[in-house]
Amino acid sequence: MIIQLKPTTNKRELERIIDRLVKDGIQRENIDIIKGDPYTVVGIKGDTRKLSEDHYKTLNSVYQVIRISNPCKELTRQFHPRSTIIELSNKHRIGEGLSVIAGPCAVESYEQLFTTAKIVKNAGANILRGGAYKPRTSPDTFQGLGEEGLKYLSRVKQELGMPIITEITDPRDLELFLDYDVDIIQVGARNCQNFRLLDEMAKIDRPVMLKRGGEVPVNEYLLAALRIYRGNQKVILCERGGKTSDPKHRNVLNLNNVAYIKKNYHLPIIVDPSHGSGIRESVAPLSYAGIASGADGVMIEVHCNPEEALCDGEQSIDGEIHELIPKLHELYELVRS
Ligand code: PEP
Ligand code: MN
C-alpha cells in the first residue's frame, strides 16, 4: 500500500501517520518514506491487509491511498517514482545518462585485458567487463583464470581508472571479489534463480548486476531482483535474451522486457546485445534497439583479437566500438529528450 501525501504536509503530520501505522501493527522497517516533488509517498511493504484504507484516506494530510498487489511493489515506480541511480568509484552514475560496459567475455591474460581495456576506454566506455570465473557448459573448454583473472582486472582498474564488473558463480568467492575491489558483481543468467547466491548479494554494500535467466519470466526475474534489493538496494537489471527454436540465433533479446521494466520499475536496466544474439554483426543494431526500448546502457563484448578469443569470439567486436559509442549517445539523447 502507498499513501501519497498532500504537498503541504509537514513533518509532524508525517510522524503522526508513521505512528498510526506502527500502532496498526506495521513494523518501522517496513515503512519507506520517499520524498518527491511535490508529493511525498509513504510506502508500506509486506502484508498490509490489516490496514484500513478508509481510515488513512480521511486524514487531512493524505492525498490518496493506493493498494498495490504487485509482490514486487518496492521495485515499482508507484512506490518509488524516481529512477534509482547507482554511483561507482569513478563517479559514473548508472541510471543517469548512458552507461557503456565493454570488455572481453573472459580475462585470458594481462596483455589481452589491458589491450582490450585501452580500446574500450578510448572509445568512451565507462566500465570494463571481463569474466574471471567462467564455468562453461563443456568442461573441456576454457574455464577462466579464476583469482588470477581478478588480479588482472584490479590491476587494469588501477592503471586505467576504470571501474570493473565481473561474474560471481559461487558465494565462497565473495571475499575475494571484495578484496580485489570489484565495482559491480555480476550474477549471470544461469544463476538468476540461485537463491543462496542472491541472498549473499543481499548482504553486501556493493552494486550487483543481475542478468535475466533465458527461461525466467519477467515476474520471476523481478522477484529474484527483489530478493537482493531487500538487503542491498544497489541492484542493476540486465536483459540478455533467451533461447529460441531457431538455431541461427544463440538467444533472442527480449526488448518487450526492457520497455516494460523501464516504464514500470525504478531499477536501472542494461541490455546485452552480445549474448542476446551470439552474432557479431547483430551487436550494433541490437544495441540501438535496446537503447530505443528504454535501456540505461549496454554491455558489449569486445576483444583485441576476436578471432583468437578463448570464449565468445563470434559475438565479440573490436575497433568498431569506436564508431558505435557516439551513435549510442546520440540515440540515447533522442529517445530521452
Ligand atoms: C557473461 O556476461 O559473461 C555471461 C556469461 O553472460 P550470461 O550470464 O548472460 O550467459
Ligand atoms: Mn560471453
Side-chain angles (χ1 to χ4, degrees):
M1 191 166 108
I2 61 177
I3 303 174
Q4 198 174 11
L5 305 179
K6 289 180 187 159
T8 50
T9 306
N10 61 35
K11 212 167 150 227
R12 243 197 28 225
E13 286 170 314
L14 175 61
E15 274 162 14
R16 217 178 299 142
I17 291 176
I18 296 172
D19 287 347
R20 178 68 206 216
L21 286 167
V22 171
K23 252 191 221 125
D24 281 349
I26 302 294
Q27 289 183 342
R28 185 60 188 85
E29 63 263 28
N30 280 335
I31 305 172
D32 279 357
I33 312 295
I34 303 117
K35 291 213 186 309
D37 186 15
Y39 296 103
T40 290
V41 164
V42 181
I44 304 115
K45 297 177 279 198
D47 186 359
T48 60
R49 280 172 299 184
K50 55 195 166 205
L51 297 178
S52 151
E53 219 168 303
D54 287 342
H55 166 75
Y56 287 93
K57 270 183 190 158
T58 58
L59 301 180
N60 250 342
S61 49
V62 171
Y63 174 65
Q64 61 175 338
V65 178
I66 305 166
R67 274 204 188 272
I68 310 173
S69 53
N70 185 334
C72 293
K73 61 185 165 189
E74 292 127 278
L75 303 186
T76 65
R77 285 191 183 274
Q78 282 165 303
F79 204 89
H80 189 295
R82 272 193 235 159
S83 297
T84 288
I85 293 168
I86 296 167
E87 187 171 295
L88 304 180
S89 55
N90 68 340
K91 302 283 174 220
H92 176 73
R93 286 156 71 85
I94 298 178
E96 186 185 80
L98 177 73
S99 297
V100 178
I101 305 171
C105 176
V107 179
E108 298 167 12
S109 66
Y110 168 74
E111 290 70 27
Q112 169 255 11
L113 182 67
F114 185 73
T115 312
T116 309
K118 270 202 308 201
I119 296 174
V120 304
K121 185 177 174 167
N122 290 337
N126 314 100
I127 299 151
L128 175 66
R129 67 149 285 148
Y133 294 84
K134 302 285 314 170
R136 291 159 71 217
T137 313
S138 164
D140 295 326
T141 56
F142 176 61
Q143 303 288 304
L145 297 180
E147 184 176 350
E148 199 185 336
L150 292 181
K151 223 177 263 176
Y152 298 153
L153 280 162
S154 114
R155 185 170 156 197
V156 174
K157 166 181 166 160
Q158 302 293 329
E159 289 166 340
L160 298 183
M162 277 187 102
I164 50 174
I165 176 169
T166 191
E167 180 177 347
I168 193 162
T169 54
D170 186 328
R172 288 172 295 186
D173 298 327
L174 185 54
E175 285 284 305
L176 269 184
F177 276 61
L178 298 174
D179 286 349
Y180 284 105
D181 208 15
V182 172
D183 293 274
I184 307 174
I185 301 181
Q186 176 173 321
V187 176
R190 286 158 199 78
N191 279 310
C192 178
Q193 292 181 310
N194 179 345
F195 298 126
R196 294 285 293 273
L197 183 61
L198 302 185
D199 288 345
E200 293 306 310
M201 297 299 109
K203 292 182 194 155
I204 55 173
D205 179 26
R206 188 67 53 118
V208 174
M209 185 170 90
L210 176 65
K211 293 185 117 183
R212 186 179 69 83
E215 274 81 50
V216 179
V218 68
N219 58 338
E220 289 182 31
Y221 174 47
L222 290 162
L223 283 169
L226 178 64
R227 217 174 160 101
I228 305 174
Y229 183 84
R230 284 263 165 94
N232 170 8
Q233 302 190 339
K234 295 174 185 160
V235 181
I236 303 156
L237 303 174
C238 179
E239 170 59 43
R240 48 75 86 190
K243 291 261 175 283
T244 153
S245 54
D246 187 337
K248 178 72 191 145
H249 305 284
R250 179 178 184 180
N251 286 308
V252 165
L253 199 57
N254 191 330
L255 297 172
N256 294 31
N257 282 343
V258 178
Y260 168 75
I261 288 173
K262 191 68 210 165
K263 174 95 181 87
N264 296 291
Y265 297 88
H266 61 80
L267 294 178
I269 177 156
I270 302 293
V271 285
D272 175 348
S274 309
H275 294 91
S277 65
I279 303 172
R280 183 177 305 138
E281 292 73 29
S282 301
V283 168
L286 290 183
S287 302
Y288 302 140
I291 300 298
S293 304
D296 296 288
V298 289
M299 179 158 87
I300 296 176
E301 285 188 339
V302 178
H303 196 286
C304 53
N305 187 0
E307 285 177 3
E308 298 293 319
L310 296 182
C311 183
D312 286 352
E314 64 288 357
Q315 66 189 36
S316 300
I317 61 170
D318 47 20
E320 183 194 338
I321 187 93
H322 281 273
E323 287 89 64
L324 179 57
I325 295 180
K327 288 190 193 166
L328 294 179
H329 277 284
E330 264 183 64
L331 184 60
Y332 180 91
E333 293 308 322
L334 186 71
V335 172
R336 296 296 177 100
S337 60

